[in-house]
Amino acid sequence: MVDSSSETPANLSPRARARVQTMRDIVRLGREHLATEGAAALSLRAVARDLGLVSSAVYRYVASRDELLTLLVVDGYDELGDAVDAALAKVDRSDHAGRMTAIGRAVRAWGLAEPATYALLFGSPVPGYEAPAEQTTGPGTRVVVRLVEVWEDAWQAGAISLDEAPLAPRRLSRDLARIRKQMGLTVPEQLVARGLFAWAALFGCVTWEVFGQYGSTTFTDPADLFEHHLAALVESVGLA
């Protein structure tokens, strides 16, 4: 796995340091090829060529195209998670609506800046590739974990008032109860359900814009519509 930090640990041997740098270069070039060729056409041999390695040498670092895709998926999720964390660092923790708004804006800004990687993470599946859960679930859930933290903090602070009765049908109630237990939440099922709606809708709004589904001339500035939608999503979970 690639060390996503910008600094190489000083205690590594020269050979190990060179390997870390090569892996970073592979991911960087992979992202560039992703933007120009698309995920389905991604070629490890082409990345090796741009890196100045013969194709046989690159397999000492990355075993296959699927492994390269996994590296790009993890790198993308981590970059998105870092962008969200940086945005949250500027908001007071007691400002629950402000934190949720900051998360939404950070997701949109990153998606518009990195459309190819956003498409890899949230677009159509790459034919023949299935992301390994053991490597991608942690990075892939960073944003929703931050959202859940906002809702849990708001509930604990008494900033959200919702009906705590179980939801129907019973199988949905059981599913939501399981999620609450797995995540160690005190929020009621109603808030879990609304939170799932807000999470899905946030990425739906960003996806619609990143993929150009509104058309190029429909809105003078799509950010105006996004801000309207984001305010509605904040309100949907019970935050003012």
Side-chain angles (χ1 to χ4, degrees), residues 10-29:
N11 61 343
L12 293 181
S13 67
R15 182 175 181 178
R17 289 169 66 88
R19 180 177 179 83
V20 169
Q21 186 57 54
T22 299
M23 291 295 289
R24 287 176 178 157
D25 289 340
I26 289 172
V27 170
R28 174 180 55 81
L29 288 169

Side-chain angles (χ1 to χ4, degrees), residues 11-216:
N11 61 343
L12 293 181
S13 67
R15 182 175 181 178
R17 289 169 66 88
R19 180 177 179 83
V20 169
Q21 186 57 54
T22 299
M23 291 295 289
R24 287 176 178 157
D25 289 340
I26 289 172
V27 170
R28 174 180 55 81
L29 288 169
R31 291 275 293 264
E32 292 178 6
H33 281 241
L34 186 67
T36 57
E37 307 297 330
L42 192 66
S43 166
L44 187 54
R45 289 176 179 267
V47 170
R49 184 173 59 248
D50 285 359
L51 192 58
L53 294 175
V54 297
S55 58
S56 59
V58 77
Y59 292 111
R60 296 201 299 266
Y61 299 93
V62 181
S64 65
R65 181 212 67 157
D66 282 6
E67 187 172 315
L68 175 60
L69 280 169
T70 297
L71 291 173
L72 299 184
V73 167
V74 171
D75 187 63
Y77 277 139
D78 278 337
E79 193 172 274
L80 173 57
D82 289 346
V84 165
D85 286 348
L88 285 171
K90 301 175 183 178
V91 184
D92 190 282
R93 192 172 180 89
S94 64
D95 183 2
H96 311 298
R99 287 164 65 195
M100 186 171 169
T101 298
I103 292 171
R105 289 172 178 166
V107 170
R108 175 180 180 269
W110 184 84
L112 292 174
E114 298 292 341
T117 302
Y118 185 93
L120 175 64
L121 303 182
F122 305 109
S124 300
V126 180
Y129 172 73
E130 183 175 350
E134 67 275 10
Q135 292 174 257
T136 59
T137 298
T141 55
R142 285 180 61 182
V143 173
V144 69
V145 166
R146 292 293 176 264
L147 285 168
V148 169
E149 288 173 351
V150 173
W151 305 326
E152 175 73 8
D153 287 351
W155 177 257
Q156 290 281 357
I160 297 177
S161 178
L162 288 175
D163 183 2
E164 298 188 51
L167 295 180
R170 288 184 61 188
R171 60 177 175 271
L172 174 60
S173 180
R174 288 194 297 267
D175 289 340
L176 295 172
R178 185 182 68 254
I179 292 171
R180 292 177 66 224
K181 183 177 180 180
Q182 288 173 343
M183 301 193 74
L185 302 177
T186 64
V187 301
E189 294 174 12
Q190 182 71 250
L191 185 50
V192 177
R194 290 193 183 193
L196 289 170
F197 161 74
W199 173 38
L202 168 61
F203 278 89
C205 291
V206 173
T207 296
W208 216 246
E209 187 175 352
V210 170
F211 295 163
Q213 295 300 309
Y214 292 124
S216 60

